[in-house]
Amino acid sequence: MGDILAHESELLGLVKEYLDFAEFEDTLKTFSKECKIKGKPLCKTVGGSFRDSKSLTIQKDLVAAFDNGDQKVFFDLWEEHVSSSVRDGDSFARKLEFYLHIHFAIYLLKYSVGRPDKEELDEKISYFKTYLETKGAALSQTTEFLPFYALPFVPNPMVHPSFKELFQDSWTPELKLKLEKFLALISKASNTPKLLTIYKENGQSNKEILQQLHQQLVEAERRSMTYLKRYNKIQADYHNLIGVTAELVDSLEATVSGKMITPEYLQSVCVRLFSNQMRQSLAHSVDFTRPGTASTMLRASLAPVKLKDVPLLPSLDYEKLKKDLILGSDRLKAFLLQALRWRLTTSHPGEQRETVLQAYISNDLLDCYSHNQRSVLQLLHSKSDVVRQYMARLINAFASLAEGRLYLAQNTKVLQMLEGRLKEEDKDIITRENVLGALQKFSLRRPLQTAMIQDGLIFWLVDVLKDPDCLSDYTLEYSVALLMNLCLRSTGKNMCAKVAGLVLKVLSDLLGHENHEIQPYVNGALYSILSVPSIREEARAMGMEDILRCFIKEGNAEMIRQIEFIIKQLNSEELPDGVLESDDDEDEDDEEDHDIMEADLDKDELIQPQLGELSGEKLLTTEYLGIMTNTGKTRRKGLANVQWSGDEPLQRPVTPGGHRNGYPV
């Protein structure tokens, strides 16, 4: 009781302050009257700096300085009365301050009667340039502001197409309105009662702890999947290395016993047996004349590794599986889709994964060969968000493998369903990501490219990419990569020509995006569409070369070389309209025989088994065990690899997972 009495005055003051803030006028009068009757003292609370008449005067002075173009007065008041925590920590305040600097930099150009005073104009431009090099540099990676970094260097900004918006009559009044709203907002924020602040801080603290714990869990799951895939890859490389070593040792022993085998023969054995990733380094590092006698020991170590470490997974009863996928409860469907996906994503690359995929295909797991109205594919349109998402994840896993893409391509409805889901899905970001990922991998196959172009997917992609900051990293990266793959075709370029201005604007904005993973695809798309004369003409009219040269100053060596190729393409004078050579031969497939199973396929799982529930491999092998019918399959031969130098923009279809892993494209 003593503690309460000691702080009673302050507590009553907090209640009074909140009632006043919330405009409970009658309640406040009654509360104050009762406190007076009971002799309870009310502690006076200190209001914010914008509460008194002085604050209103400061606001008026700021607006007047804005109207008069008085740069020094405005920013002196701005820095004195808007706290640094707001100016530096609030994204809206930082953007507003950037535009305010632009307003004062071009004020004389817009409002001078006659020719503006050169000395005064140079001073304002110099002030803006200094801001860009110091505090304003923080926004240099934001696509919205990137063109304005060239403003101080443009001789006549009023006629430059990139700055046309700044000189429209509506631009300054709209900025002034934003300024007035911001000043009113921070005025209200400064009056926030202490009671509300205490409540928010306490709730926010608990929320932040939960968010941190959740983030740590997600990160741990992601690392676990990454390490598992690394382990699988290392183990596959180890098997390969042991086998090749045994072959080489046999050849060397034959040489010692008198049979002449040339170093060229040994090198050909290496080239034949080693994977693509190992060939280049081996050609320079293997000593083909060195004798050895360890063939028997090496072969002995190889055999148990193959048999023990990489077993074939048990066969399943696919008839029962498909029946439950169609008729089971939504929760059972979700657990089955998850388990089937995990079989693919966590299996060992090589024979084990190929056998799993072959079993799925030979049993038509997704009903791609079926014409029944009720099929597993229809789960993509399920009313359950979880089932829809897990079906999209499984299709994306199929599409990550070359044989899986070939299987899905057998049914034209698969592409149509994915395109429909992509455009309709607005509830679940991960569902849309996986649908988009599958479509991007589909674009490695020419017939599917053609269908997507004809369905107008380029227009949808361009529309989505107009606001890249609202997209997840995965969506942004796969959208740009898909757009590039479609733009490599002559029909895709012709589609882009119909909306050339919009496509060029979107791609030029993406050049400066903070996600650097998208740069090769942006460069590849630009280089490709600039082969069309009408698009080149549009690009020149919007000052594309100036925009590109801005990035040459900031980019790395590889980026600079690619942009130089794009500028060269921009300034070329090849092929008049209507003479663009067709590259649309459907008999030729651009697809490389690479399988890319990215970790994102298993991120952020929505469902967890409850006590007694089965999931994953245990669910499959307990409830759906079938007769052993697993058989291996010879992999189809991929196209000859075409190496990408990195100097030139991409000119063949790729998928982000394969490009990041350094596969030939």
Side-chain angles (χ1 to χ4, degrees), residues 493-513:
K493 296 170 191 175
N494 291 332
M495 283 286 187
C496 289
K498 295 179 181 179
V499 286
L502 180 58
V503 175
L504 289 167
K505 173 71 167 60
V506 166
L507 290 175
S508 62
D509 288 346
L510 290 172
L511 277 170
H513 199 274

Side-chain angles (χ1 to χ4, degrees), residues 470-483:
C470 293
L471 305 177
S472 67
D473 286 342
Y474 187 98
T475 300
L476 176 60
E477 193 172 342
Y478 276 76
S479 295
V480 180
L482 175 55
L483 178 62

Side-chain angles (χ1 to χ4, degrees), residues 282-418:
L282 277 170
H284 302 289
S285 61
V286 174
D287 181 359
F288 295 102
T289 61
R290 185 172 135 197
T293 56
S295 175
T296 304
M297 182 175 66
L298 289 170
R299 288 192 182 280
S301 67
L302 172 64
V305 168
K306 280 189 173 179
L307 294 174
K308 291 181 181 178
D309 289 359
V310 192
L312 295 181
L313 295 172
S315 292
L316 303 175
D317 183 345
Y318 287 94
E319 187 176 339
K320 182 182 178 185
L321 258 172
K322 289 164 69 174
K323 181 180 177 182
D324 284 354
L325 281 170
I326 294 172
L327 301 176
S329 67
D330 285 341
R331 187 165 178 82
L332 176 59
K333 291 175 184 177
F335 274 120
L336 287 175
L337 291 169
Q338 182 189 60
L340 291 165
R341 165 168 46 90
W342 283 353
R343 259 211 170 197
L344 271 181
T345 58
T346 61
S347 56
H348 295 264
E351 186 180 6
Q352 189 185 66
R353 178 171 290 165
E354 289 167 17
T355 305
V356 170
L357 182 62
Q358 181 55 31
Y360 286 179
I361 294 172
S362 60
N363 289 281
D364 193 17
L365 177 64
L366 302 184
D367 285 334
C368 286
Y369 302 125
S370 171
H371 298 288
N372 295 332
Q373 286 188 337
R374 301 189 71 174
S375 68
V376 176
L377 278 175
Q378 295 300 323
L379 295 180
L380 201 57
H381 296 309
S382 170
K383 293 180 180 179
S384 165
D385 294 346
V386 180
V387 172
R388 275 202 320 277
Q389 182 189 122
Y390 277 33
M391 184 62 188
R393 288 184 190 236
L394 181 58
I395 291 176
N396 194 12
F398 266 85
S400 300
L401 306 172
E403 291 291 338
R405 290 191 285 277
L406 184 61
Y407 166 63
L408 293 169
Q410 304 305 308
N411 190 331
T412 55
K413 289 184 179 178
V414 175
L415 178 61
Q416 295 167 4
M417 291 174 72
L418 288 172

Side-chain angles (χ1 to χ4, degrees), residues 10 13-18 42-47 51 194:
E10 186 177 355
L14 292 176
V15 173
K16 180 178 181 295
E17 181 191 33
Y18 180 76
L42 286 173
C43 176
K44 292 185 178 181
T45 56
V46 181
R51 203 165 195 167
K194 190 173 180 182

Side-chain angles (χ1 to χ4, degrees), residues 260-279:
M260 295 302 295
I261 298 175
T262 65
E264 288 76 18
Y265 168 76
L266 296 179
Q267 187 169 12
S268 72
V269 171
C270 283
V271 171
R272 178 168 54 85
L273 293 177
F274 274 92
S275 64
N276 293 330
Q277 296 95 316
M278 302 168 73
R279 286 177 186 170

Side-chain angles (χ1 to χ4, degrees), residues 129-143:
K129 186 179 178 183
T130 302
Y131 166 75
L132 293 178
E133 293 170 349
T134 53
K135 188 176 178 182
L139 294 171
S140 63
Q141 297 301 315
T142 306
T143 54

